[in-house]
Amino acid sequence: MEGEGECSDNPFTSVMTLTKMRVPHVPQRYVLPPSQRPTLTLDLTTTLPIVDLSTLHHASQRSLTLDTIQGACKELGFFQVVNHGIPLPVIHDALAAATEFFNLSLEEKMTLLSDNVHNPVRYGTSLNHASDKVHYWRDFIKHYSHPISDWIHLWPSNPPSYKDKMGNYAKAVQVLHKQLMEAILETLGLNFGNLQKEIEEGNQLMAINCYPACPEPDLTLGMPPHSDYGTLTVLLQSGPGLQLQDNKKKWLSVPFVEGALLVQLGDQIEVMSNGQYKSVVHQVTLSAENKRLSIASLHSLPINKKIGPAPELVDEQHPVSYNEFSFRDFLDYISSNDIADKRFIDSIKKSV
């Protein structure tokens, strides 16, 4: 049983362990201050944009589709995509592989445990269980995935089908990311060719998350409000739970659409666009009844590539609003800062 061998002074306790123990209340370390607790019943009347990517390949519809993408990037930094080219069996296999991994014994998963954010493969809980002041109701495994031949040998060997199933999904999402980046850069009036090499050789980090049912979902979160560091995050979810913040700082619940993938703009796009587009602030809420899985494919330019505002988007009316940064800069930042306290992008904004 997963909880065997654990005791109260052990610095690591997974939320899967707490779930198996059937704790009636969340431990105190998970309880958020009242001002940070989630609102679980939100207005669902706001319609979030859904983009049919197949229309990008039809000359008569491409312009309208790009307009929809542009509006979504400006207003929310978020949209859902359907007809994205990744077959449902590949999606279902990835979720099945994630389920099997989190159902492994704690002893098996602990072989991958690490609180070092630079490790290429690491299992953990919360954001970083070793340093978090408040813990979050999440277990995760993260691993680099592109080029897959460089990393897949480091991935979990158990469950036996994990590398195959998660690998097929990771490769398919990498192709989708390139297509999405081409469209988004076009909406900004930027030449995809100028960044094509960096996009094709960039990083892909798969963050596979498990949010077990929580006995008191109104007291805690699966993830605190944050934005992602990279270009785009392509998110697959097994059910609802994601909330995002609109430009009026109002929280919106993202509905679950079978087979759809969620596209979230990251800090690199906000910086590249010189603030025309915003990285989306999002958080994860929990359910008292249902476990939720998500597979976030986080894409960024190569780890040491510095990115700043595109020169084409800078003029007297729109001066440079951000300092340059790289993915490595972000990793160094989160090694010594709590993203629940301050967003990374706020640290690189130029003062007006």
Side-chain angles (χ1 to χ4, degrees), residues 146-279:
H146 180 73
I148 199 163
S149 56
D150 287 356
W151 303 109
I152 197 166
H153 66 285
L154 299 172
W155 292 12
S157 297
N158 199 15
S161 63
Y162 185 91
K163 291 178 181 176
D164 184 46
K165 289 179 176 178
M166 198 62 72
N168 287 339
Y169 178 72
K171 288 184 286 188
V173 179
Q174 182 66 23
V175 172
L176 174 61
H177 169 253
K178 181 180 174 181
Q179 180 187 7
L180 289 165
M181 282 297 295
E182 189 169 1
I184 288 169
L185 291 178
E186 186 175 340
T187 67
L188 285 166
L190 300 177
N191 185 345
F192 176 73
N194 293 342
L195 271 177
Q196 183 171 352
K197 185 172 185 289
E198 285 88 349
I199 290 168
E200 290 176 350
E201 295 178 358
N203 284 94
Q204 179 187 22
L205 176 70
M206 304 294 287
I208 297 98
N209 304 300
C210 177
Y211 304 100
C214 177
E216 296 176 295
D218 54 331
L219 297 183
T220 187
L221 284 165
M223 283 280 278
H226 69 286
S227 60
D228 296 333
Y229 58 85
T231 50
L232 302 177
T233 298
V234 180
L235 184 79
L236 166 62
Q237 59 175 355
S238 66
L242 183 70
Q243 292 184 346
L244 57 88
Q245 207 172 59
D246 67 12
N247 53 18
K248 296 175 183 171
K249 297 193 179 298
K250 175 185 172 188
W251 286 107
L252 306 172
S253 285
V254 178
F256 173 70
V257 179
E258 175 70 30
L261 296 172
L262 319 183
V263 180
Q264 300 168 189
L265 270 60
D267 293 345
Q268 287 185 344
I269 289 287
E270 178 168 335
V271 169
M272 195 187 306
S273 73
N274 202 30
Q276 285 191 37
Y277 293 170
K278 300 295 184 186
S279 55

